[in-house]
Amino acid sequence: MESHPDDIPRVSPDILRWISSEYHGLNGDHYTVLESPPSPVEFSRICHISRPVLIKGYTIPGVQRWTDKYLIETMGDRPLSVAVTPNGYADAVTLSSDGKWYFAEPYSQKMTMEILLSKLGSPSSNTEDDVYYLQSQNGNLFSSSYFTSGDTEDECELANLRVTEALGRCPDAVNLWIGDSRSVTSIHSDPYENIYHVARGSKTFLLLPPTEGWCLTEQLYPHASYQRESEDSPLLLNPSLSTKSPVRWSSILHPELPGSLPETAHPIVIDVKAGETLYLPAGWWHHVRQSGLSIALNWWYDIEPQGSAWVWLRLVRGAAVATAGREEAEK
């Protein structure tokens, strides 16, 4: 269970900066590129080091068939829950018309795969007022056997990459992502070992190690969600009831822009092209953009609770939030 920032001891900002500098001094800005999938022993070592790795030469069975025609015919009239926003930022900090900042969740709209694809990646999509993004999380839509007609036999769905063998457990969730260049994932971190495969298009990841979470000035924001009064009406950002807990999120909206991060931050930018897979370690901060129509899927493996990794991630994140919040309160 994650601690509230008030439960984390206050840490001097100088200590947080020292930890960040020491980590960067030992590891630098590099990331490893593998031309072929690692063995289970090699992948276990990769997870132990906990640095991002770009993996080439791995093909998910059946994904090469994922044309628009194939996806439309396979999904048929099955309704999909698609995230809709006016600006492409689902699950992000947003300035409302009332002049306040909120953590905004997207409006969820049901549509078929055919309708979704018609709104993405075409010239007409650039004139759409709203941005559509299929972000089917927690394994509630995708399984490889559904899309590949049984091309894969392993129930954990990553047998060829040997992740399950390396970690000794099946993934906790399998997620599917379909969108275009207007959809952006705001910077955040997850408590999962993340195996992210791009099937079509490309993705650009801006990454920061857990030791640089202090650069992202997390704050607590009141919750809100986009709603429509009717099917054809514009999206409106509606604040949630005061009984809903505030959301802790980074206040850095555009970390990709020059000057948005402190000079002492060391972002790593990785382009993941179709057919490539990114290993994103648990706790690493990531901001994601995409080019054109993009289809990706990823596997989340829950972080190992034994040992020091989970305690360390809680400390470096929670201490930054607690220290910043108390400094603000003392002004």
Side-chain angles (χ1 to χ4, degrees):
M1 182 176 181
E2 186 174 356
S3 297
H4 188 275
D6 288 342
D7 299 329
I8 303 292
R10 178 171 178 170
V11 176
S12 164
D14 289 339
I15 292 179
L16 294 174
R17 291 182 177 88
W18 178 87
I19 292 173
S20 173
S21 176
E22 191 77 357
Y23 178 86
H24 182 261
L26 291 170
N27 295 276
D29 298 327
H30 81 281
Y31 62 93
T32 299
V33 178
L34 299 180
E35 297 298 330
S36 61
S39 70
V41 172
E42 290 169 334
F43 198 91
S44 180
R45 183 173 182 272
I46 287 170
C47 291
H48 177 72
I49 295 173
S50 196
R51 296 278 300 177
V53 175
L54 183 64
I55 303 169
K56 301 182 179 182
Y58 172 66
T59 301
I60 296 175
V63 166
Q64 64 273 16
R65 296 204 300 262
W66 285 17
T67 62
D68 287 4
K69 181 175 183 293
Y70 177 80
L71 292 174
I72 291 169
E73 290 178 350
T74 302
M75 294 301 293
D77 294 329
R78 181 178 180 179
L80 307 174
S81 295
V82 177
V84 188
T85 62
N87 57 10
Y89 285 79
D91 301 321
V93 174
T94 302
L95 182 62
S96 177
S97 58
D98 63 7
K100 297 180 180 179
W101 290 93
Y102 293 90
F103 175 80
E105 290 194 5
Y107 176 72
S108 182
Q109 183 173 332
K110 297 285 188 181
M111 64 182 67
T112 64
M113 180 68 76
E114 183 174 14
I115 292 176
L116 170 62
L117 292 176
S118 72
K119 294 179 177 294
L120 302 174
S122 65
S124 61
S125 67
N126 295 325
T127 63
E128 287 272 3
D129 292 332
D130 297 326
V131 181
Y132 299 83
Y133 191 33
L134 176 63
Q135 47 181 18
S136 175
Q137 300 184 45
N138 303 321
N140 62 348
L141 172 65
F142 176 80
S143 70
S144 63
S145 59
Y146 187 90
F147 282 102
T148 61
S149 302
D151 283 352
T152 179
E153 297 179 357
D154 187 86
E155 63 177 3
C156 293
E157 302 178 346
L158 271 173
N160 293 342
L161 197 52
R162 315 298 289 276
V163 178
T164 292
E165 187 175 347
L167 297 179
R169 58 188 182 275
C170 287
D172 291 83
V174 187
N175 311 313
L176 176 65
W177 315 87
I178 302 179
D180 60 23
S181 58
R182 298 172 301 157
S183 294
V184 179
T185 301
S186 63
I187 194 162
H188 68 286
S189 66
D190 299 306
Y192 297 102
E193 304 287 5
N194 190 347
I195 313 299
Y196 200 104
H197 181 84
V198 175
R200 287 173 58 180
S202 65
K203 301 257 188 175
T204 298
F205 286 75
L206 183 149
L207 307 178
L208 289 170
T211 52
E212 297 190 1
W214 63 269
C215 297
L216 300 174
T217 54
E218 283 191 284
Q219 299 179 25
L220 291 175
Y221 292 93
H223 182 274
S225 59
Y226 287 105
Q227 304 290 338
R228 294 191 196 276
E229 293 182 354
S230 64
E231 184 176 341
D232 298 324
S233 62
L235 291 170
L236 299 174
L237 187 62
N238 290 337
S240 302
L241 296 175
S242 58
T243 54
K244 192 171 182 67
S245 299
V247 179
R248 181 172 67 172
W249 210 257
S250 170
S251 62
I252 305 298
L253 304 183
H254 301 286
E256 78 281 13
L257 297 181
S260 59
L261 295 171
E263 291 183 0
T264 49
H266 307 98
I268 299 173
V269 178
I270 304 178
D271 291 321
V272 186
K273 301 179 177 62
E276 297 179 341
T277 304
L278 176 67
Y279 164 64
L280 181 61
W284 274 67
W285 297 87
H286 49 290
H287 172 272
V288 189
R289 293 169 289 149
Q290 45 205 349
S291 299
L293 175 61
S294 177
I295 301 178
L297 49 147
N298 76 308
W299 290 258
W300 277 338
Y301 289 81
D302 203 2
I303 187 173
E304 174 57 60
Q306 299 185 74
S308 62
W310 180 233
V311 175
W312 170 248
L313 290 177
R314 287 170 60 187
L315 174 63
V316 293
R317 182 184 179 191
V321 176
T323 301
R326 289 166 193 166
E327 285 182 340
E328 184 67 24
E330 290 170 2
K331 287 182 180 179

